[in-house]
Amino acid sequence: MAEIKIELTPEQLAILNGEKGETMAKIMKTLVMYGETFGATKMVPVTGKKGHLVTSFGIKVMKPVYELMDRLISDGVVSGQQFSVDPKPVDKNVPASFLENLIFKKFMYSAQDMYDGQLQKMGLVSDTAYTCTCYLDEVGNTPEKGDILSWAESSAVVYANSVLGARCNRNSGIIDLFGSIVGYVPYFGLLTDEGRKATWIVEVKTDKIPEAQVLGSAIGMKVMEDVPYVKGLDKWIGNELNDDAKAYLKDFGAATASNGAVGLYHIDGLTPEAVEMGEALISENAQVYVIDDAELERVKNNYPVIWKDKNAEPKLCFIGCPHLTYSQLIDWTEKVEAGLKAAGNSKVVIPTVFTAAPTVVEKFNKTAYAARLKKTGVILSYICPLMYMNNPLCGKKPVITNSNKLRTYTTSRYYTNSDILDCITKGVK
Ligand code: F3S
């Protein structure tokens, strides 16, 4: 290995020199090289109790990953900490044609069972830990403020950094696992105080509460990978991190992270570091972005519709990317019931799937709301809609969603929460 520029402790150096075996040395070397690429100065211990992996799907072409996992397992180099993982790609309850199912099973996720087995051997918490909202109470992978994490999954990283005040870079898949295995991550970017300073001030000057997913999209597209300090939003979502505010920030953050590459945002008067340090978090010469209702309309109207037939009747609707919280599930159930009643319909007019973490689904299913939701015709699932849409046949279908992440990465068409409610209860306007 060329000269190491990163400062290593004697223990880290010993790992690099093979004290814990050749495989562990290679993992350390990979992390050191990764850190050097980004100008890391040292390696710091992972202090979060659990990891989170982005690679949850047993897709056929990921052969090198399976070989790597086999090697790690056979060498006994498994994760030093337990981890959760992104959602599973397939659920038989989600509508799919015979051919679509064939593609899922034979050509896409044919390695799922084998990969699930590997994940378990590597340290997966349990079979219920497949979700991008691993930080929810029901899932139990909730980092503490200041914890250093080795996570990937952009929506979870931005939430952990911003809402929980943990520290994590926007890692790629496998790097997340390597950090969990060796217990160290390179110190750069969002792990540092300097990297957590805002280089953008966003002034929210709307006349109504901004749609979380459009506001996040506008900010993401403007600031890209920078850190924004958002003023004026607490007027709409309050100064307390309650269930509603957290759900809003979950959806907002996922849009900033996918429509741009935001890994951390501060909300004036609300998120932990902004409450603690206020405007001291803002860098000198920060740029300013003013957002009013007209700007949000402009952003929304510019989303391309890439359906072959732009006027096609939607064949499917996904709500829950990122996965819905328990409160959101209840809220959506009530809204769908009210919408159907107002429209004089008894069931949703477009096949609709709500997605949530397995343990959130389990909790919801124990309540009277489960039967009420079922009565509306809405299907409740634990999948990742993006992995469903990756099926080339599903990608050709006119699918609608209220997720700006799903819109960005697939052919699905975006509607705001209230418009999508109208679509599924009354029909497309
Ligand atoms: Fe989660 Fe899949 Fe959306 S991982 S954020 S449901 S793309």
Side-chain angles (χ1 to χ4, degrees), residues 86-87 132 153 155 321-322 384-386 405:
D86 263 7
C132 45
E153 175 45 47
S155 70
C321 166
C384 167
L386 173 58
K405 180 171 179 179

Side-chain angles (χ1 to χ4, degrees), residues 166-375:
R167 296 191 173 210
C168 186
N169 278 312
R170 278 175 57 105
N171 301 302
S172 56
I174 302 303
I175 286 291
D176 50 3
L177 176 65
F178 281 5
S180 281
I181 290 176
V182 85
Y184 296 105
V185 282
Y187 185 71
F188 69 95
L190 298 176
L191 265 50
T192 69
D193 288 344
E194 197 51 35
R196 296 179 77 82
K197 284 204 158 174
T199 48
W200 280 89
I201 299 168
V202 177
E203 294 179 2
V204 176
K205 294 188 171 168
T206 54
D207 291 334
K208 54 181 188 296
I209 180 168
E211 188 83 11
Q213 301 249 5
V214 182
L215 181 65
S217 155
I219 295 175
M221 286 196 270
K222 177 66 83 179
V223 313
M224 295 311 293
E225 74 280 8
D226 287 349
V227 178
Y229 187 97
V230 184
K231 294 182 183 178
L233 188 58
D234 54 336
K235 174 182 166 190
W236 298 111
I237 58 173
N239 293 98
E240 193 198 327
L241 278 173
N242 56 23
D243 276 1
D244 287 348
K246 286 198 254 184
Y248 185 99
L249 294 178
K250 162 184 75 77
D251 293 339
F252 162 83
T256 66
S258 56
N259 286 222
V262 173
L264 164 69
Y265 55 81
H266 302 293
I267 308 292
D268 195 37
L270 183 60
T271 51
E273 280 154 273
V275 167
E276 203 174 279
M277 295 171 66
E279 297 194 12
L281 278 170
I282 302 172
S283 296
E284 253 181 68
N285 304 322
Q287 301 182 73
V288 177
Y289 178 32
V290 178
I291 297 185
D292 56 13
D293 296 307
E295 172 64 355
L296 292 180
E297 267 313 289
R298 182 194 68 76
V299 167
K300 181 162 68 79
N301 293 339
N302 274 332
Y303 296 150
V305 178
I306 49 176
W307 291 356
K308 208 167 166 197
D309 171 8
K310 292 189 174 28
N311 298 315
E313 284 286 314
K315 289 263 187 313
L316 191 60
C317 167
F318 277 117
I319 292 177
C321 166
H323 276 171
L324 293 170
T325 64
Y326 176 70
S327 312
Q328 283 181 312
L329 264 180
I330 289 179
D331 191 43
W332 273 105
T333 305
E334 288 173 344
K335 285 196 170 118
V336 170
E337 282 178 333
L340 288 174
K341 196 172 170 203
N345 288 323
S346 59
K347 286 198 183 299
V348 284
V349 295
I350 297 167
T352 299
V353 180
F354 287 177
T355 49
T359 45
V360 171
V361 170
E362 196 181 295
K363 180 174 170 184
F364 180 82
N365 279 342
K366 285 183 187 148
T367 69
Y369 281 97
R372 286 168 59 179
L373 183 66
K374 201 168 177 198
K375 207 168 156 216

